[in-house]
Amino acid sequence: MKEIIKRDGRRDPFDPMKISLAMEKAFKASDVVIDGLELFHLTRQVVESLQGEICDVEQVQDLVERTLMQHGYFQVAKRYIIYREERSRAREMRHRRYTAVSQIIKQTDRENANVGNGPSAKLLQMAEVIGREFMETNLTEPEVLGAMRENLLYPHDYAWGAIGTTTCCFIPLDKLLRTGFNTGHGFIRSPKRIKTATALAAIIIQANQNDQHGGQAFGWFDRDIAPYIELEYNWQLKDLQQNIALLQQEAPPLEQLKELAWH
């Protein structure tokens, strides 16, 4: 045997030592002790079973499995099979990663309306390829992955799940303004006037943007801000009445003061 054909089509010089090393790893992973002479005989049997001057990787690995089982090393053969599967998945993942990055370089996907084709957008998309790979490999149940591959499930911004952040949400402005909130730099109390409420709304959405990915919005801004319009009106009316009293002037009719307070 002179050459071996790799999975990508490349041809390398045939090296029996690589067969020995692969089997030795399988024995160690199975906690089975084997001496050097036995390992040599197993390797020689695999090599002698090969025909011709050229073989491919899959052919060699099939012979390794068969040889291990013929000698009663079933546990080791199982470990070797698992190792092959793990390597196959890793190769598939690398191929998918390469394909995805190649496509991003040519044209950035527009899953999100605010993702363009600039350098930063492309770099973000490349990072998402790795995030998706990590999610699939470590954080997603096989049943869920199966449903995704059959297009029964589509988790939007799936790649960001590994970070643990929420992705795209309506911010509960009413609750935050009513009870107060903490931006991470201190607690902010509930506002008493409309200007303060709208300023805090800007702070809330900015602080939230710093801590999560994706779009954020106030789903019911007019409803949530309405109580502070009433508070502002009451403050203005009270302020007018106090200023008139300080000037010791006759107060206009209450309806006129209310009109002034609204404006």
Side-chain angles (χ1 to χ4, degrees), residues 7 19 23 26 42 45-46 57-74 76-85 88:
R7 288 179 179 82
I19 298 175
M23 284 196 290
L42 292 172
Q45 181 174 332
V46 172
V57 172
E58 292 291 343
Q59 182 183 359
V60 173
Q61 292 184 337
D62 288 343
L63 285 171
V64 169
E65 290 179 16
R66 189 182 310 161
T67 300
L68 289 171
M69 288 188 285
Q70 285 175 350
H71 287 263
Y73 294 116
F74 299 106
V76 179
K78 181 180 179 180
R79 180 64 253 182
Y80 186 80
I81 292 169
I82 293 173
Y83 171 77
R84 284 185 68 179
E85 291 175 350
S88 294

PDB file of all heavy atoms in Angstrom, residues 7 19 23 26 42 45-46 57-74 76-85 88:
ATOM      1  N   ARG A   7     -10.728  12.150   2.603  1.00  0.00           N
ATOM      2  CA  ARG A   7     -12.133  12.425   2.279  1.00  0.00           C
ATOM      3  C   ARG A   7     -12.305  13.620   1.337  1.00  0.00           C
ATOM      4  O   ARG A   7     -13.293  13.725   0.640  1.00  0.00           O
ATOM      5  CB  ARG A   7     -12.925  12.653   3.564  1.00  0.00           C
ATOM      6  CG  ARG A   7     -13.137  11.378   4.359  1.00  0.00           C
ATOM      7  CD  ARG A   7     -13.897  11.632   5.632  1.00  0.00           C
ATOM      8  NE  ARG A   7     -14.107  10.393   6.358  1.00  0.00           N
ATOM      9  CZ  ARG A   7     -13.207   9.826   7.150  1.00  0.00           C
ATOM     10  NH1 ARG A   7     -12.019  10.408   7.310  1.00  0.00           N
ATOM     11  NH2 ARG A   7     -13.453   8.694   7.772  1.00  0.00           N
ATOM     12  N   ILE A  19      -2.798   4.075  11.820  1.00  0.00           N
ATOM     13  CA  ILE A  19      -3.782   3.049  12.182  1.00  0.00           C
ATOM     14  C   ILE A  19      -3.540   2.609  13.621  1.00  0.00           C
ATOM     15  O   ILE A  19      -4.478   2.482  14.421  1.00  0.00           O
ATOM     16  CB  ILE A  19      -3.687   1.847  11.226  1.00  0.00           C
ATOM     17  CG1 ILE A  19      -4.000   2.289   9.784  1.00  0.00           C
ATOM     18  CG2 ILE A  19      -4.633   0.730  11.665  1.00  0.00           C
ATOM     19  CD1 ILE A  19      -3.806   1.199   8.750  1.00  0.00           C
ATOM     20  N   MET A  23      -6.174   3.069  16.870  1.00  0.00           N
ATOM     21  CA  MET A  23      -6.621   1.942  17.691  1.00  0.00           C
ATOM     22  C   MET A  23      -6.186   2.126  19.149  1.00  0.00           C
ATOM     23  O   MET A  23      -6.934   1.822  20.075  1.00  0.00           O
ATOM     24  CB  MET A  23      -6.079   0.626  17.120  1.00  0.00           C
ATOM     25  CG  MET A  23      -6.827   0.159  15.885  1.00  0.00           C
ATOM     26  SD  MET A  23      -6.515  -1.587  15.477  1.00  0.00           S
ATOM     27  CE  MET A  23      -4.815  -1.492  14.918  1.00  0.00           C
ATOM     28  N   ALA A  26      -8.561   4.302  20.902  1.00  0.00           N
ATOM     29  CA  ALA A  26      -9.816   3.602  21.192  1.00  0.00           C
ATOM     30  C   ALA A  26      -9.661   2.706  22.418  1.00  0.00           C
ATOM     31  O   ALA A  26     -10.574   2.603  23.250  1.00  0.00           O
ATOM     32  CB  ALA A  26     -10.247   2.783  19.979  1.00  0.00           C
ATOM     33  N   LEU A  42      -2.522  -6.426  15.435  1.00  0.00           N
ATOM     34  CA  LEU A  42      -3.804  -5.908  14.956  1.00  0.00           C
ATOM     35  C   LEU A  42      -3.600  -4.981  13.758  1.00  0.00           C
ATOM     36  O   LEU A  42      -4.321  -5.064  12.755  1.00  0.00           O
ATOM     37  CB  LEU A  42      -4.524  -5.156  16.075  1.00  0.00           C
ATOM     38  CG  LEU A  42      -5.040  -5.990  17.251  1.00  0.00           C
ATOM     39  CD1 LEU A  42      -5.548  -5.077  18.359  1.00  0.00           C
ATOM     40  CD2 LEU A  42      -6.150  -6.944  16.796  1.00  0.00           C
ATOM     41  N   GLN A  45      -2.693  -6.980  10.645  1.00  0.00           N
ATOM     42  CA  GLN A  45      -3.837  -7.655  10.038  1.00  0.00           C
ATOM     43  C   GLN A  45      -4.658  -6.681   9.187  1.00  0.00           C
ATOM     44  O   GLN A  45      -5.127  -7.034   8.106  1.00  0.00           O
ATOM     45  CB  GLN A  45      -4.726  -8.265  11.126  1.00  0.00           C
ATOM     46  CG  GLN A  45      -5.929  -9.012  10.546  1.00  0.00           C
ATOM     47  CD  GLN A  45      -6.719  -9.737  11.616  1.00  0.00           C
ATOM     48  OE1 GLN A  45      -6.190 -10.131  12.647  1.00  0.00           O
ATOM     49  NE2 GLN A  45      -8.007  -9.921  11.371  1.00  0.00           N
ATOM     50  N   VAL A  46      -4.820  -5.451   9.706  1.00  0.00           N
ATOM     51  CA  VAL A  46      -5.560  -4.442   8.936  1.00  0.00           C
ATOM     52  C   VAL A  46      -4.827  -4.153   7.633  1.00  0.00           C
ATOM     53  O   VAL A  46      -5.425  -4.142   6.547  1.00  0.00           O
ATOM     54  CB  VAL A  46      -5.728  -3.140   9.748  1.00  0.00           C
ATOM     55  CG1 VAL A  46      -6.323  -2.030   8.871  1.00  0.00           C
ATOM     56  CG2 VAL A  46      -6.615  -3.381  10.963  1.00  0.00           C
ATOM     57  N   VAL A  57      -9.822   6.269   3.114  1.00  0.00           N
ATOM     58  CA  VAL A  57      -9.907   6.307   4.574  1.00  0.00           C
ATOM     59  C   VAL A  57     -11.033   5.435   5.097  1.00  0.00           C
ATOM     60  O   VAL A  57     -10.851   4.688   6.080  1.00  0.00           O
ATOM     61  CB  VAL A  57     -10.082   7.766   5.050  1.00  0.00           C
ATOM     62  CG1 VAL A  57     -10.360   7.809   6.556  1.00  0.00           C
ATOM     63  CG2 VAL A  57      -8.841   8.582   4.739  1.00  0.00           C
ATOM     64  N   GLU A  58     -12.198   5.520   4.490  1.00  0.00           N
ATOM     65  CA  GLU A  58     -13.351   4.749   4.961  1.00  0.00           C
ATOM     66  C   GLU A  58     -13.071   3.252   4.914  1.00  0.00           C
ATOM     67  O   GLU A  58     -13.461   2.503   5.808  1.00  0.00           O
ATOM     68  CB  GLU A  58     -14.587   5.084   4.112  1.00  0.00           C
ATOM     69  CG  GLU A  58     -15.112   6.503   4.287  1.00  0.00           C
ATOM     70  CD  GLU A  58     -15.734   6.718   5.662  1.00  0.00           C
ATOM     71  OE1 GLU A  58     -16.043   5.721   6.350  1.00  0.00           O
ATOM     72  OE2 GLU A  58     -15.887   7.881   6.063  1.00  0.00           O
ATOM     73  N   GLN A  59     -12.389   2.827   3.871  1.00  0.00           N
ATOM     74  CA  GLN A  59     -12.052   1.410   3.732  1.00  0.00           C
ATOM     75  C   GLN A  59     -11.154   0.952   4.885  1.00  0.00           C
ATOM     76  O   GLN A  59     -11.370  -0.112   5.475  1.00  0.00           O
ATOM     77  CB  GLN A  59     -11.335   1.190   2.399  1.00  0.00           C
ATOM     78  CG  GLN A  59     -10.963  -0.256   2.118  1.00  0.00           C
ATOM     79  CD  GLN A  59     -10.191  -0.415   0.817  1.00  0.00           C
ATOM     80  OE1 GLN A  59      -9.937   0.560   0.107  1.00  0.00           O
ATOM     81  NE2 GLN A  59      -9.801  -1.646   0.510  1.00  0.00           N
ATOM     82  N   VAL A  60     -10.172   1.760   5.217  1.00  0.00           N
ATOM     83  CA  VAL A  60      -9.263   1.420   6.317  1.00  0.00           C
ATOM     84  C   VAL A  60     -10.023   1.358   7.636  1.00  0.00           C
ATOM     85  O   VAL A  60      -9.859   0.420   8.437  1.00  0.00           O
ATOM     86  CB  VAL A  60      -8.126   2.453   6.411  1.00  0.00           C
ATOM     87  CG1 VAL A  60      -7.272   2.201   7.656  1.00  0.00           C
ATOM     88  CG2 VAL A  60      -7.247   2.405   5.162  1.00  0.00           C
ATOM     89  N   GLN A  61     -10.878   2.329   7.892  1.00  0.00           N
ATOM     90  CA  GLN A  61     -11.615   2.366   9.151  1.00  0.00           C
ATOM     91  C   GLN A  61     -12.584   1.196   9.270  1.00  0.00           C
ATOM     92  O   GLN A  61     -12.774   0.645  10.367  1.00  0.00           O
ATOM     93  CB  GLN A  61     -12.348   3.701   9.284  1.00  0.00           C
ATOM     94  CG  GLN A  61     -11.388   4.870   9.474  1.00  0.00           C
ATOM     95  CD  GLN A  61     -12.105   6.185   9.704  1.00  0.00           C
ATOM     96  OE1 GLN A  61     -13.268   6.354   9.322  1.00  0.00           O
ATOM     97  NE2 GLN A  61     -11.404   7.141  10.306  1.00  0.00           N
ATOM     98  N   ASP A  62     -13.186   0.798   8.169  1.00  0.00           N
ATOM     99  CA  ASP A  62     -14.061  -0.382   8.197  1.00  0.00           C
ATOM    100  C   ASP A  62     -13.267  -1.628   8.592  1.00  0.00           C
ATOM    101  O   ASP A  62     -13.747  -2.470   9.373  1.00  0.00           O
ATOM    102  CB  ASP A  62     -14.704  -0.593   6.823  1.00  0.00           C
ATOM    103  CG  ASP A  62     -15.762   0.452   6.505  1.00  0.00           C
ATOM    104  OD1 ASP A  62     -16.226   1.135   7.444  1.00  0.00           O
ATOM    105  OD2 ASP A  62     -16.130   0.593   5.326  1.00  0.00           O
ATOM    106  N   LEU A  63     -12.071  -1.744   8.052  1.00  0.00           N
ATOM    107  CA  LEU A  63     -11.229  -2.901   8.375  1.00  0.00           C
ATOM    108  C   LEU A  63     -10.776  -2.876   9.832  1.00  0.00           C
ATOM    109  O   LEU A  63     -10.651  -3.931  10.475  1.00  0.00           O
ATOM    110  CB  LEU A  63     -10.009  -2.921   7.450  1.00  0.00           C
ATOM    111  CG  LEU A  63     -10.277  -3.383   6.014  1.00  0.00           C
ATOM    112  CD1 LEU A  63      -9.051  -3.158   5.146  1.00  0.00           C
ATOM    113  CD2 LEU A  63     -10.664  -4.877   6.002  1.00  0.00           C
ATOM    114  N   VAL A  64     -10.518  -1.701  10.378  1.00  0.00           N
ATOM    115  CA  VAL A  64     -10.135  -1.585  11.788  1.00  0.00           C
ATOM    116  C   VAL A  64     -11.267  -2.094  12.673  1.00  0.00           C
ATOM    117  O   VAL A  64     -11.047  -2.894  13.601  1.00  0.00           O
ATOM    118  CB  VAL A  64      -9.789  -0.125  12.145  1.00  0.00           C
ATOM    119  CG1 VAL A  64      -9.645   0.036  13.664  1.00  0.00           C
ATOM    120  CG2 VAL A  64      -8.487   0.285  11.460  1.00  0.00           C
ATOM    121  N   GLU A  65     -12.485  -1.672  12.391  1.00  0.00           N
ATOM    122  CA  GLU A  65     -13.637  -2.123  13.183  1.00  0.00           C
ATOM    123  C   GLU A  65     -13.781  -3.646  13.098  1.00  0.00           C
ATOM    124  O   GLU A  65     -13.986  -4.323  14.123  1.00  0.00           O
ATOM    125  CB  GLU A  65     -14.914  -1.460  12.657  1.00  0.00           C
ATOM    126  CG  GLU A  65     -15.005   0.033  12.946  1.00  0.00           C
ATOM    127  CD  GLU A  65     -16.267   0.632  12.372  1.00  0.00           C
ATOM    128  OE1 GLU A  65     -17.195  -0.143  12.030  1.00  0.00           O
ATOM    129  OE2 GLU A  65     -16.344   1.865  12.239  1.00  0.00           O
ATOM    130  N   ARG A  66     -13.684  -4.168  11.901  1.00  0.00           N
ATOM    131  CA  ARG A  66     -13.857  -5.609  11.700  1.00  0.00           C
ATOM    132  C   ARG A  66     -12.756  -6.392  12.440  1.00  0.00           C
ATOM    133  O   ARG A  66     -13.024  -7.413  13.078  1.00  0.00           O
ATOM    134  CB  ARG A  66     -13.814  -5.929  10.209  1.00  0.00           C
ATOM    135  CG  ARG A  66     -14.204  -7.358   9.862  1.00  0.00           C
ATOM    136  CD  ARG A  66     -14.072  -7.586   8.374  1.00  0.00           C
ATOM    137  NE  ARG A  66     -14.747  -6.525   7.614  1.00  0.00           N
ATOM    138  CZ  ARG A  66     -14.482  -6.266   6.339  1.00  0.00           C
ATOM    139  NH1 ARG A  66     -13.571  -6.970   5.684  1.00  0.00           N
ATOM    140  NH2 ARG A  66     -15.137  -5.305   5.718  1.00  0.00           N
ATOM    141  N   THR A  67     -11.528  -5.916  12.358  1.00  0.00           N
ATOM    142  CA  THR A  67     -10.405  -6.598  13.010  1.00  0.00           C
ATOM    143  C   THR A  67     -10.567  -6.601  14.527  1.00  0.00           C
ATOM    144  O   THR A  67     -10.327  -7.622  15.189  1.00  0.00           O
ATOM    145  CB  THR A  67      -9.083  -5.910  12.623  1.00  0.00           C
ATOM    146  OG1 THR A  67      -8.929  -5.968  11.198  1.00  0.00           O
ATOM    147  CG2 THR A  67      -7.896  -6.593  13.288  1.00  0.00           C
ATOM    148  N   LEU A  68     -10.954  -5.480  15.098  1.00  0.00           N
ATOM    149  CA  LEU A  68     -11.155  -5.402  16.547  1.00  0.00           C
ATOM    150  C   LEU A  68     -12.221  -6.385  17.012  1.00  0.00           C
ATOM    151  O   LEU A  68     -12.057  -7.080  18.024  1.00  0.00           O
ATOM    152  CB  LEU A  68     -11.544  -3.971  16.936  1.00  0.00           C
ATOM    153  CG  LEU A  68     -10.429  -2.920  16.842  1.00  0.00           C
ATOM    154  CD1 LEU A  68     -11.004  -1.519  17.030  1.00  0.00           C
ATOM    155  CD2 LEU A  68      -9.343  -3.190  17.887  1.00  0.00           C
ATOM    156  N   MET A  69     -13.319  -6.474  16.251  1.00  0.00           N
ATOM    157  CA  MET A  69     -14.394  -7.392  16.637  1.00  0.00           C
ATOM    158  C   MET A  69     -13.987  -8.845  16.455  1.00  0.00           C
ATOM    159  O   MET A  69     -14.364  -9.717  17.247  1.00  0.00           O
ATOM    160  CB  MET A  69     -15.661  -7.066  15.842  1.00  0.00           C
ATOM    161  CG  MET A  69     -16.325  -5.762  16.297  1.00  0.00           C
ATOM    162  SD  MET A  69     -17.935  -5.452  15.555  1.00  0.00           S
ATOM    163  CE  MET A  69     -17.447  -4.941  13.905  1.00  0.00           C
ATOM    164  N   GLN A  70     -13.201  -9.141  15.415  1.00  0.00           N
ATOM    165  CA  GLN A  70     -12.731 -10.508  15.204  1.00  0.00           C
ATOM    166  C   GLN A  70     -11.876 -11.002  16.364  1.00  0.00           C
ATOM    167  O   GLN A  70     -11.861 -12.190  16.673  1.00  0.00           O
ATOM    168  CB  GLN A  70     -11.928 -10.576  13.897  1.00  0.00           C
ATOM    169  CG  GLN A  70     -12.784 -10.528  12.644  1.00  0.00           C
ATOM    170  CD  GLN A  70     -11.951 -10.474  11.374  1.00  0.00           C
ATOM    171  OE1 GLN A  70     -10.714 -10.285  11.437  1.00  0.00           O
ATOM    172  NE2 GLN A  70     -12.581 -10.648  10.223  1.00  0.00           N
ATOM    173  N   HIS A  71     -11.197 -10.081  17.022  1.00  0.00           N
ATOM    174  CA  HIS A  71     -10.334 -10.450  18.152  1.00  0.00           C
ATOM    175  C   HIS A  71     -11.041 -10.280  19.499  1.00  0.00           C
ATOM    176  O   HIS A  71     -10.398 -10.370  20.546  1.00  0.00           O
ATOM    177  CB  HIS A  71      -9.052  -9.625  18.120  1.00  0.00           C
ATOM    178  CG  HIS A  71      -8.102 -10.026  17.035  1.00  0.00           C
ATOM    179  ND1 HIS A  71      -7.030 -10.867  17.242  1.00  0.00           N
ATOM    180  CD2 HIS A  71      -8.090  -9.731  15.697  1.00  0.00           C
ATOM    181  CE1 HIS A  71      -6.383 -11.062  16.105  1.00  0.00           C
ATOM    182  NE2 HIS A  71      -6.995 -10.382  15.142  1.00  0.00           N
ATOM    183  N   GLY A  72     -12.335 -10.051  19.460  1.00  0.00           N
ATOM    184  CA  GLY A  72     -13.117  -9.984  20.683  1.00  0.00           C
ATOM    185  C   GLY A  72     -13.089  -8.652  21.413  1.00  0.00           C
ATOM    186  O   GLY A  72     -13.595  -8.542  22.535  1.00  0.00           O
ATOM    187  N   TYR A  73     -12.530  -7.619  20.788  1.00  0.00           N
ATOM    188  CA  TYR A  73     -12.480  -6.303  21.422  1.00  0.00           C
ATOM    189  C   TYR A  73     -13.743  -5.507  21.049  1.00  0.00           C
ATOM    190  O   TYR A  73     -13.681  -4.453  20.401  1.00  0.00           O
ATOM    191  CB  TYR A  73     -11.227  -5.544  20.975  1.00  0.00           C
ATOM    192  CG  TYR A  73      -9.938  -6.174  21.437  1.00  0.00           C
ATOM    193  CD1 TYR A  73      -9.023  -6.669  20.509  1.00  0.00           C
ATOM    194  CD2 TYR A  73      -9.622  -6.258  22.788  1.00  0.00           C
ATOM    195  CE1 TYR A  73      -7.825  -7.242  20.919  1.00  0.00           C
ATOM    196  CE2 TYR A  73      -8.421  -6.839  23.206  1.00  0.00           C
ATOM    197  CZ  TYR A  73      -7.538  -7.328  22.273  1.00  0.00           C
ATOM    198  OH  TYR A  73      -6.353  -7.893  22.687  1.00  0.00           O
ATOM    199  N   PHE A  74     -14.892  -6.024  21.473  1.00  0.00           N
ATOM    200  CA  PHE A  74     -16.161  -5.391  21.072  1.00  0.00           C
ATOM    201  C   PHE A  74     -16.342  -4.001  21.694  1.00  0.00           C
ATOM    202  O   PHE A  74     -16.836  -3.083  21.047  1.00  0.00           O
ATOM    203  CB  PHE A  74     -17.323  -6.296  21.463  1.00  0.00           C
ATOM    204  CG  PHE A  74     -17.278  -7.644  20.796  1.00  0.00           C
ATOM    205  CD1 PHE A  74     -16.908  -8.786  21.507  1.00  0.00           C
ATOM    206  CD2 PHE A  74     -17.563  -7.769  19.447  1.00  0.00           C
ATOM    207  CE1 PHE A  74     -16.844 -10.017  20.885  1.00  0.00           C
ATOM    208  CE2 PHE A  74     -17.510  -9.010  18.819  1.00  0.00           C
ATOM    209  CZ  PHE A  74     -17.143 -10.137  19.538  1.00  0.00           C
ATOM    210  N   VAL A  76     -13.976  -1.945  22.540  1.00  0.00           N
ATOM    211  CA  VAL A  76     -13.055  -1.040  21.859  1.00  0.00           C
ATOM    212  C   VAL A  76     -13.589  -0.688  20.467  1.00  0.00           C
ATOM    213  O   VAL A  76     -13.514   0.469  20.029  1.00  0.00           O
ATOM    214  CB  VAL A  76     -11.651  -1.670  21.754  1.00  0.00           C
ATOM    215  CG1 VAL A  76     -10.693  -0.726  21.028  1.00  0.00           C
ATOM    216  CG2 VAL A  76     -11.125  -1.999  23.139  1.00  0.00           C
ATOM    217  N   ALA A  77     -14.147  -1.681  19.786  1.00  0.00           N
ATOM    218  CA  ALA A  77     -14.717  -1.432  18.460  1.00  0.00           C
ATOM    219  C   ALA A  77     -15.868  -0.432  18.554  1.00  0.00           C
ATOM    220  O   ALA A  77     -16.015   0.458  17.700  1.00  0.00           O
ATOM    221  CB  ALA A  77     -15.210  -2.739  17.851  1.00  0.00           C
ATOM    222  N   LYS A  78     -16.680  -0.570  19.603  1.00  0.00           N
ATOM    223  CA  LYS A  78     -17.784   0.377  19.805  1.00  0.00           C
ATOM    224  C   LYS A  78     -17.246   1.780  20.020  1.00  0.00           C
ATOM    225  O   LYS A  78     -17.763   2.750  19.461  1.00  0.00           O
ATOM    226  CB  LYS A  78     -18.620  -0.064  21.000  1.00  0.00           C
ATOM    227  CG  LYS A  78     -19.806   0.842  21.282  1.00  0.00           C
ATOM    228  CD  LYS A  78     -20.606   0.349  22.480  1.00  0.00           C
ATOM    229  CE  LYS A  78     -21.791   1.285  22.759  1.00  0.00           C
ATOM    230  NZ  LYS A  78     -22.571   0.817  23.934  1.00  0.00           N
ATOM    231  N   ARG A  79     -16.211   1.887  20.837  1.00  0.00           N
ATOM    232  CA  ARG A  79     -15.600   3.190  21.091  1.00  0.00           C
ATOM    233  C   ARG A  79     -15.032   3.777  19.807  1.00  0.00           C
ATOM    234  O   ARG A  79     -15.129   4.986  19.556  1.00  0.00           O
ATOM    235  CB  ARG A  79     -14.496   3.027  22.138  1.00  0.00           C
ATOM    236  CG  ARG A  79     -13.762   4.265  22.529  1.00  0.00           C
ATOM    237  CD  ARG A  79     -14.680   5.267  23.203  1.00  0.00           C
ATOM    238  NE  ARG A  79     -14.947   6.382  22.312  1.00  0.00           N
ATOM    239  CZ  ARG A  79     -15.685   7.425  22.631  1.00  0.00           C
ATOM    240  NH1 ARG A  79     -16.260   7.484  23.813  1.00  0.00           N
ATOM    241  NH2 ARG A  79     -15.873   8.396  21.777  1.00  0.00           N
ATOM    242  N   TYR A  80     -14.449   2.918  18.977  1.00  0.00           N
ATOM    243  CA  TYR A  80     -13.878   3.368  17.707  1.00  0.00           C
ATOM    244  C   TYR A  80     -14.983   3.855  16.762  1.00  0.00           C
ATOM    245  O   TYR A  80     -14.815   4.871  16.067  1.00  0.00           O
ATOM    246  CB  TYR A  80     -13.096   2.217  17.055  1.00  0.00           C
ATOM    247  CG  TYR A  80     -12.352   2.609  15.800  1.00  0.00           C
ATOM    248  CD1 TYR A  80     -11.132   3.268  15.881  1.00  0.00           C
ATOM    249  CD2 TYR A  80     -12.881   2.329  14.541  1.00  0.00           C
ATOM    250  CE1 TYR A  80     -10.443   3.629  14.729  1.00  0.00           C
ATOM    251  CE2 TYR A  80     -12.195   2.689  13.392  1.00  0.00           C
ATOM    252  CZ  TYR A  80     -10.987   3.345  13.490  1.00  0.00           C
ATOM    253  OH  TYR A  80     -10.311   3.715  12.360  1.00  0.00           O
ATOM    254  N   ILE A  81     -16.107   3.142  16.758  1.00  0.00           N
ATOM    255  CA  ILE A  81     -17.242   3.555  15.918  1.00  0.00           C
ATOM    256  C   ILE A  81     -17.761   4.919  16.369  1.00  0.00           C
ATOM    257  O   ILE A  81     -18.045   5.798  15.542  1.00  0.00           O
ATOM    258  CB  ILE A  81     -18.371   2.502  15.980  1.00  0.00           C
ATOM    259  CG1 ILE A  81     -17.913   1.202  15.291  1.00  0.00           C
ATOM    260  CG2 ILE A  81     -19.647   3.032  15.332  1.00  0.00           C
ATOM    261  CD1 ILE A  81     -18.828   0.028  15.530  1.00  0.00           C
ATOM    262  N   ILE A  82     -17.881   5.093  17.686  1.00  0.00           N
ATOM    263  CA  ILE A  82     -18.337   6.384  18.220  1.00  0.00           C
ATOM    264  C   ILE A  82     -17.359   7.486  17.830  1.00  0.00           C
ATOM    265  O   ILE A  82     -17.770   8.598  17.449  1.00  0.00           O
ATOM    266  CB  ILE A  82     -18.479   6.306  19.755  1.00  0.00           C
ATOM    267  CG1 ILE A  82     -19.620   5.355  20.126  1.00  0.00           C
ATOM    268  CG2 ILE A  82     -18.715   7.694  20.357  1.00  0.00           C
ATOM    269  CD1 ILE A  82     -19.722   5.075  21.622  1.00  0.00           C
ATOM    270  N   TYR A  83     -16.076   7.166  17.897  1.00  0.00           N
ATOM    271  CA  TYR A  83     -15.046   8.139  17.524  1.00  0.00           C
ATOM    272  C   TYR A  83     -15.202   8.532  16.056  1.00  0.00           C
ATOM    273  O   TYR A  83     -15.117   9.715  15.703  1.00  0.00           O
ATOM    274  CB  TYR A  83     -13.665   7.543  17.778  1.00  0.00           C
ATOM    275  CG  TYR A  83     -12.525   8.367  17.237  1.00  0.00           C
ATOM    276  CD1 TYR A  83     -12.097   9.516  17.897  1.00  0.00           C
ATOM    277  CD2 TYR A  83     -11.860   7.981  16.070  1.00  0.00           C
ATOM    278  CE1 TYR A  83     -11.048  10.276  17.400  1.00  0.00           C
ATOM    279  CE2 TYR A  83     -10.802   8.733  15.572  1.00  0.00           C
ATOM    280  CZ  TYR A  83     -10.405   9.881  16.237  1.00  0.00           C
ATOM    281  OH  TYR A  83      -9.366  10.626  15.736  1.00  0.00           O
ATOM    282  N   ARG A  84     -15.467   7.545  15.198  1.00  0.00           N
ATOM    283  CA  ARG A  84     -15.664   7.841  13.774  1.00  0.00           C
ATOM    284  C   ARG A  84     -16.850   8.769  13.566  1.00  0.00           C
ATOM    285  O   ARG A  84     -16.798   9.715  12.782  1.00  0.00           O
ATOM    286  CB  ARG A  84     -15.903   6.548  12.991  1.00  0.00           C
ATOM    287  CG  ARG A  84     -14.676   5.720  12.751  1.00  0.00           C
ATOM    288  CD  ARG A  84     -14.998   4.517  11.865  1.00  0.00           C
ATOM    289  NE  ARG A  84     -15.344   4.909  10.493  1.00  0.00           N
ATOM    290  CZ  ARG A  84     -15.651   4.038   9.531  1.00  0.00           C
ATOM    291  NH1 ARG A  84     -15.673   2.736   9.809  1.00  0.00           N
ATOM    292  NH2 ARG A  84     -15.922   4.451   8.316  1.00  0.00           N
ATOM    293  N   GLU A  85     -17.942   8.488  14.308  1.00  0.00           N
ATOM    294  CA  GLU A  85     -19.133   9.317  14.176  1.00  0.00           C
ATOM    295  C   GLU A  85     -18.868  10.745  14.642  1.00  0.00           C
ATOM    296  O   GLU A  85     -19.322  11.705  14.013  1.00  0.00           O
ATOM    297  CB  GLU A  85     -20.277   8.700  14.974  1.00  0.00           C
ATOM    298  CG  GLU A  85     -20.802   7.391  14.396  1.00  0.00           C
ATOM    299  CD  GLU A  85     -21.847   6.743  15.275  1.00  0.00           C
ATOM    300  OE1 GLU A  85     -22.030   7.220  16.423  1.00  0.00           O
ATOM    301  OE2 GLU A  85     -22.467   5.768  14.819  1.00  0.00           O
ATOM    302  N   SER A  88     -16.893  12.460  12.060  1.00  0.00           N
ATOM    303  CA  SER A  88     -17.720  12.770  10.890  1.00  0.00           C
ATOM    304  C   SER A  88     -18.565  14.007  11.140  1.00  0.00           C
ATOM    305  O   SER A  88     -18.707  14.873  10.266  1.00  0.00           O
ATOM    306  CB  SER A  88     -18.627  11.574  10.554  1.00  0.00           C
ATOM    307  OG  SER A  88     -17.863  10.462  10.143  1.00  0.00           O
TER     308      SER A  88
END
